[in-house]
Amino acid sequence: MLPAPPDFSIRSAMVDDLDALIALERAAFTTDHLSPRQYRQHLHSTSATVLAAVDAGGLLGKAVVFYRAGSDIARLYSIAVAERARGRGVAKSLLAAVEATARDRACARLRLEVRKDNAAAIALYERLGFQRFGEKPGFYEDGADAWRYEKRLTDKA
Ligand SMILES: CC(C)(COP(=O)(O)OP(=O)(O)OC[C@H]1O[C@@H](n2cnc3c(N)ncnc32)[C@H](O)[C@@H]1OP(=O)(O)O)[C@@H](O)C(=O)NCCC(=O)NCCS
């Protein structure tokens, strides 16, 4: 039997999503929140992509990616899925869309930081082919350490 198609879709986030993005941000993270002002900037910026996973009931998840001029490395700054929607492949779909968007922008690699104590996110990234390549001690506002992960988006060395 074929797997059921997802009952949600992924699209670019819009200004109308702002309140839901902020609510999800606050529910999913205890520190290092993006502010409404920062979200507003990123929604309009050419050096950022904000993706939204939505269903008929509203926002299920979001991913924020940054690009730097002259660099072929995209950075996944943030990804979160609402508790009610976890375990349904929403993060996996968001990451597939993030990778496609980064490839469209000629990025060869996608990098991210993750708290060393965030087992769910580490499992997600490793399952999707990200490789650990370093760490950032005290990276988060509360002093927690981060692992650094990277995924190659092209076959080129
Ligand atoms: C981490 C997070 C984004 C995962 O979202 P999700 O939509 O539930 O993840 P998915 O359903 O797409 O899971 C994809 C894979 O990730 C792994 N995974 C996800 N949640 C997991 C968990 N709680 N424990 C272990 N593995 C997990 C699994 O390998 C899973 O694949 P499988 O279901 O085929 O085994 C979500 O738990 C979340 O928003 N957490 C709070 C915010 C956060 O920590 N963000 C990451 C910051 S770096």
Side-chain angles (χ1 to χ4, degrees):
M1 217 168 69
L2 289 172
D7 55 356
F8 57 87
S9 58
I10 310 286
R11 59 161 171 76
S12 294
M14 302 175 292
V15 172
D16 282 354
D17 297 314
L18 201 55
D19 289 348
L21 285 167
I22 298 301
L24 176 54
E25 180 83 23
R26 305 232 156 237
F29 300 110
T30 48
T31 67
D32 299 75
H33 296 123
L34 282 171
S35 68
R37 188 163 155 268
Q38 287 170 317
Y39 262 115
R40 214 175 264 284
Q41 276 173 357
H42 299 323
L43 288 172
H44 294 111
S45 168
T46 54
S47 60
T49 301
V50 185
L51 294 176
V54 293
D55 71 359
L59 187 74
L60 301 180
K62 55 101 190 182
V64 181
V65 190
F66 294 143
Y67 312 95
R68 265 187 316 166
S71 169
D72 67 355
I73 301 174
R75 176 170 175 230
L76 179 69
Y77 178 79
S78 172
I79 184 166
V81 172
E83 267 196 64
R84 70 180 171 94
R86 289 187 189 162
R88 283 165 46 188
V90 174
K92 208 192 278 189
S93 296
L94 275 168
L95 274 169
V98 163
E99 289 175 26
T101 308
R103 277 195 200 94
D104 283 350
R105 295 183 59 131
C107 289
R109 283 172 287 173
L110 178 61
R111 284 186 174 177
L112 59 87
E113 291 84 19
V114 57
R115 289 175 76 104
K116 288 186 177 180
D117 59 4
N118 192 342
I122 289 171
L124 167 73
Y125 300 136
E126 293 189 349
R127 175 148 169 80
L128 297 183
F130 285 79
Q131 293 188 332
R132 188 184 293 176
F133 71 97
E135 60 188 309
K136 287 189 179 174
F139 178 71
Y140 294 96
E141 280 170 7
D142 63 356
D145 301 335
W147 291 123
R148 304 183 75 194
Y149 276 83
E150 176 179 284
K151 182 169 180 177
R152 225 165 242 297
L153 303 176
T154 68
D155 293 334
K156 280 189 286 173

